Amino acid sequence: MHDFFESVEYNDFSQWFNEKSGPEDIRELHEGFNAVNQKIKDINKDKEVQYLYLQKILELIDTGIVAYSINTGDIIWINESFKELLKTPTFKNIQFIKKRSENIFKTVFEAQHINGSTISIETEKNKTKLLISTAHFQMNNEEFKLIVLQNIENTLNQNQSEAWNKLLHIMTHEIMNSIAPISSLAETLQAEIKLNIEDSEKYPLDTNDLYLSINSIQKRSEGLMSFSKSYRGLNKITTINANKIYVRELFDGINNLLKPSLKSKGIDLQFIIDNQNLQINMDAALIEQVLINLIMNSVDACIETNQPKIMVSAKTSNEGYAIIKVTDNGKGIPDEIVDKIFIPFFSSKKKGSGIGLSLCQQIMFLHNGKIQVNSIENSGTVIRLVF
């Protein structure tokens, strides 16, 4: 009995108790001891195999993973990909990174991140864009933190290249659509004027036709200018001037601006805030632009709806994020295009530029936030701005 309990105390289950000699009850007791030892050895072996299996998988993937104690900073597990992304040798405590690079330490280990957000770090004079996710967990009354990093530089470059190709294709198509009729009409006018100069009696100018042709050229030129301005508007916003803003003040300004025109259209516009003291760190002018854009989209969606209603609300989520929602009871967004609405220049409207929602998304990215869409065709749409 003493030997068995001692083996348990020191986690040594290699001892074998004699089952073939001695009194019968002792042999039965030894059989029980041996069965327990073998079972624990099998459990430990399975756990070890599972741990090695998991460890090999995590070592092979190109996603960087580190887990460390929040209290001491000691590393409990780290894979090669994490060290490769940070361009660092093996280290046992996160303070090593702090001594090596204060900026990387603050960005990766200290800053608060929304899971799935992007960060930029500079290693060996090269900037790298990474996707970061974090999680906290507890073991034996000690708190740990898990950080996962994924290099998205190549993915971004590929997506950017594809986006540019699509953008150039769309721009070329739109510009050619404008230039071709302008060029053709100009050539026709030039030929008619030349004939008139050579023989005005035989080829008299019809001033009415001349006016209509010039007017057509002007309209197409204005259309081309409008397209160019829309494109420029998509690219000009690169920084924000963020301050703590009371959401109620933001809502009041938009309400005063839009409610009269929406009331004349028979659309009920409402603003609701759970907490009147709710503040969000934002660029008020840009977020106002986003909300006006979303509300006007809702207006278009509600045109043919009985008792059209648009509700703009704000609250704080259980996770601590500030959320502004724009909800309407309009026609909704068809399933086949809901994934395309943020693509630049994509529009389901006949006169839409396809710039508005792309601009909204870019502004939310600059706020380190995101924009989410939930829509049911013929029932309505909910768009969430998550800060």
Side-chain angles (χ1 to χ4, degrees):
M1 290 285 288
H2 176 270
D3 289 346
F4 176 74
F5 287 124
E6 190 175 56
S7 68
V8 172
E9 182 180 358
Y10 293 104
N11 202 26
D12 175 17
F13 301 100
S14 61
Q15 188 169 357
W16 185 260
F17 296 89
N18 190 352
E19 302 175 359
K20 300 191 178 189
S21 62
E24 183 179 354
D25 55 348
I26 295 298
R27 292 200 304 271
E28 290 178 1
L29 182 64
H30 285 181
E31 287 176 5
F33 286 164
N34 290 335
V36 171
N37 281 348
Q38 186 60 45
K39 186 66 176 178
I40 293 175
K41 282 197 290 186
D42 291 343
I43 291 172
N44 287 341
K45 184 178 179 181
D46 288 343
K47 286 174 65 177
E48 186 177 350
V49 168
Q50 289 177 7
Y51 174 76
L52 290 173
Y53 180 67
L54 177 62
Q55 192 174 37
K56 288 298 179 185
I57 290 175
L58 296 178
E59 286 291 353
L60 289 172
I61 62 175
D62 58 1
T63 299
I65 302 172
V66 66
Y68 65 92
S69 167
I70 292 178
N71 294 329
T72 65
D74 291 337
I75 304 294
I76 61 170
W77 199 86
I78 186 171
N79 67 353
E80 289 298 323
S81 294
F82 191 92
K83 292 181 284 186
E84 177 62 28
L85 288 172
L86 299 189
K87 303 298 181 189
T88 181
T90 300
F91 59 98
K92 295 182 178 181
N93 191 288
I94 61 173
Q95 292 301 317
F96 174 84
I97 301 296
K98 188 174 184 179
K99 294 176 183 177
R100 188 180 177 92
S101 173
E102 186 83 23
N103 288 335
I104 291 179
F105 182 80
K106 287 180 178 179
T107 303
V108 175
F109 293 95
E110 285 192 335
Q112 298 296 319
H113 301 287
I114 298 174
N115 283 344
S117 58
T118 58
I119 59 172
S120 293
I121 61 171
E122 190 168 348
T123 56
E124 299 177 355
K125 297 182 179 180
N126 291 321
K127 278 193 174 181
T128 306
K129 285 191 179 295
L130 303 173
L131 200 67
I132 186 168
S133 296
T134 61
H136 291 77
F137 61 96
Q138 283 189 329
M139 292 191 306
N140 299 326
N141 296 322
E142 188 175 357
E143 194 172 2
F144 297 88
K145 186 174 182 180
L146 179 73
I147 298 178
V148 179
L149 298 178
Q150 186 173 2
N151 190 340
I152 56 172
E153 195 76 41
N154 294 335
T155 303
L156 286 176
N157 290 339
Q158 182 179 351
N159 290 344
Q160 193 174 46
S161 177
E162 291 175 358
W164 271 111
N165 288 333
K166 290 178 182 178
L167 182 58
L168 288 172
H169 175 75
I170 293 170
M171 287 187 68
T172 302
H173 181 264
E174 291 294 325
I175 290 171
M176 289 303 296
N177 280 350
S178 293
I179 291 178
I182 290 173
S183 176
S184 175
L185 204 51
E187 285 180 9
T188 302
L189 287 176
Q190 187 179 33
E192 289 182 3
I193 292 171
K194 183 179 180 182
L195 290 173
N196 178 263
I197 291 173
E198 292 173 354
D199 190 342
S200 59
E201 292 185 3
K202 186 176 180 181
Y203 301 102
L205 280 177
D206 187 329
T207 54
N208 187 52
D209 284 347
L210 185 64
Y211 173 79
L212 292 175
S213 298
I214 294 174
N215 190 47
S216 296
I217 290 175
Q218 180 188 7
K219 284 185 176 180
R220 288 309 300 162
S221 299
E222 288 174 352
L224 186 56
M225 286 292 292
S226 176
F227 173 78
S228 300
K229 287 178 181 177
S230 295
Y231 169 70
R232 185 172 59 189
L234 185 63
N235 287 273
K236 68 183 179 182
I237 299 174
T238 56
T239 58
I240 61 172
N241 180 25
N243 295 288
K244 284 282 187 181
I245 302 296
Y246 281 103
V247 176
R248 67 172 187 271
E249 295 178 358
L250 177 73
F251 283 5
D252 286 344
I254 297 172
N255 188 38
N256 294 335
L257 182 68
L258 297 180
K259 196 149 192 174
S261 62
L262 267 60
K263 188 175 181 180
S264 66
K265 296 178 181 179
I267 297 176
D268 180 20
L269 177 63
Q270 295 182 8
F271 290 86
I272 299 173
I273 307 177
D274 284 356
N275 178 8
Q276 292 296 316
N277 293 319
L278 176 61
Q279 290 180 296
I280 300 177
N281 193 45
M282 67 168 77
D283 187 316
L286 292 182
I287 297 302
E288 184 178 69
Q289 181 179 343
V290 168
L291 288 172
I292 290 173
N293 194 311
L294 297 179
I295 292 169
M296 296 314 295
N297 282 350
S298 292
V299 169
D300 292 339
C302 291
I303 290 296
E304 299 176 0
T305 302
N306 292 326
Q307 297 182 332
K309 182 178 179 180
I310 300 171
M311 184 173 67
V312 185
S313 60
K315 68 174 184 178
T316 304
S317 71
N318 294 332
E319 295 80 13
Y321 304 139
I323 298 174
I324 296 178
K325 286 199 303 185
V326 179
T327 307
D328 67 61
N329 61 347
K331 60 184 179 181
I333 305 171
D335 291 341
E336 60 269 20
I337 68 168
V338 73
D339 292 332
K340 302 176 183 178
I341 60 175
F342 294 111
I343 297 174
F345 303 105
F346 174 84
S347 178
S348 59
K349 304 174 188 176
K350 291 182 179 180
K351 296 182 180 180
S353 65
I355 299 299
L357 287 176
S358 298
L359 196 57
C360 292
Q361 187 181 57
Q362 183 177 353
I363 290 170
M364 288 306 297
F365 283 163
L366 290 173
H367 283 77
N368 292 322
K370 54 188 174 183
I371 182 168
Q372 301 171 331
V373 180
N374 183 18
S375 186
I376 301 175
E377 197 168 2
N378 300 320
S379 293
T381 300
V382 179
I383 296 187
R384 302 166 79 242
L385 305 179
V386 183
F387 295 86

